[in-house]
Amino acid sequence: MVVLGFDMETDIGSFTPFYEGVKHGTPNILRLLKKHSIRATFFWTGHAAENNPVMVRRVACRRTRDRLPWTLSRDARGDPLFPLPNNWAILPSGVEGRLRIATDIVRKTSGEQP
């Protein structure tokens, strides 16, 4: 068994604020998955889902995938080792709330419960 997952977030992880990979790469990934009848899991940050609703819906339309919320953004717990443009340290107590909000964003955007 092979598990295939895609992190749906900004380009180059937290290093940029852009979503070119999500916008231009997702259709290609979906075509390949469909062609080969491969299931995959898409891990969406809430920020990525809010900024790319068309891609969230395209992923939701394919029955070869699962959509899972990840968190609001690419978060780190504790103090950051170095500053990143889309990466903010959070307390462990904030994780549950962020996951709840991200789940709600993905649900509203896709029209389905992740």
Side-chain angles (χ1 to χ4, degrees):
M1 172 185 259
V2 174
V3 177
L4 186 58
F6 295 94
D7 293 346
M8 307 304 282
E9 60 175 328
T10 55
D11 297 340
I12 315 173
S14 302
F15 293 97
T16 68
F18 310 110
Y19 286 103
E20 296 304 307
V22 171
K23 292 176 188 172
H24 303 292
T26 304
N28 295 326
I29 291 168
L30 292 173
R31 275 192 294 278
L32 284 170
L33 294 173
K34 183 177 180 177
K35 177 180 177 181
H36 298 285
S37 300
I38 298 172
R39 289 186 56 85
T41 299
F42 289 77
F43 295 95
W44 290 92
T45 64
H47 191 267
E50 278 185 324
N51 286 278
N52 299 281
V54 170
M55 287 302 117
V56 173
R57 288 189 290 275
R58 284 184 75 172
V59 169
C61 288
R62 304 292 175 142
R63 293 294 167 204
T64 59
R65 86 300 161 251
D66 296 314
R67 293 155 332 285
L68 297 174
W70 191 359
T71 183
L72 291 176
S73 60
R74 175 68 103 139
D75 301 317
R77 288 179 48 192
D79 295 328
L81 298 175
F82 49 88
L84 297 172
N86 193 22
N87 189 342
W88 303 279
I90 60 170
L91 297 173
S93 60
V95 172
E96 183 179 341
R98 285 174 173 259
L99 282 173
R100 191 175 319 113
I101 293 168
T103 299
D104 191 46
I105 290 168
V106 172
R107 182 185 52 76
K108 286 179 181 177
T109 306
S110 70
E112 297 179 4
Q113 182 66 29

